[in-house]
Amino acid sequence: VKIRMTRVGRIHSAFYRVVVADSRRARDGKFIEILGKYQPVMKDNQFEVDEERALYWLHNGAQPTDTVRSLLRSKGIMQKW
């Protein structure tokens, strides 16, 4: 199980959902749960995440991808884990 991002939105204005998904599924395929969203196009790179559920999945063995790990680190969630 991985914590990763799926692409959503239009061309040139994409944003991403942070989801928990089976690592064997496609990037934009079926997922288990939505944890938050990330909008890199915005000036302040808006990143919202449900901290409680993210910690739950990390404690139960979900592996974040490198990008999600850096975003969680910027919110301080990786330090709490």
Side-chain angles (χ1 to χ4, degrees):
V1 176
K2 288 200 175 272
I3 301 175
R4 63 183 183 194
M5 295 193 292
T6 62
R7 190 180 190 280
V8 186
R10 300 180 313 184
I11 297 173
H12 304 298
S13 63
F15 65 95
Y16 298 89
R17 287 184 184 149
V18 178
V19 298
V20 178
D22 186 353
S23 60
R24 296 171 291 188
R25 296 278 184 179
R27 178 193 71 179
D28 296 334
K30 191 174 178 181
F31 54 86
I32 301 169
E33 182 179 356
I34 298 174
L35 296 180
K37 64 181 180 179
Y38 174 57
Q39 296 177 324
V41 177
M42 297 292 203
K43 289 184 179 181
D44 54 354
N45 293 339
Q46 294 180 352
F47 176 59
E48 299 172 10
V49 67
D50 184 355
E51 184 175 337
E52 182 180 319
R53 293 303 293 169
L55 287 171
Y56 167 81
W57 282 105
L58 288 170
H59 284 297
N60 285 317
Q63 296 294 316
T65 59
D66 293 337
T67 306
V68 173
R69 182 183 302 272
S70 68
L71 290 171
L72 292 175
R73 188 176 291 128
S74 70
K75 285 285 190 181
I77 296 173
M78 293 303 289
Q79 188 175 10
K80 291 180 184 179
W81 178 52

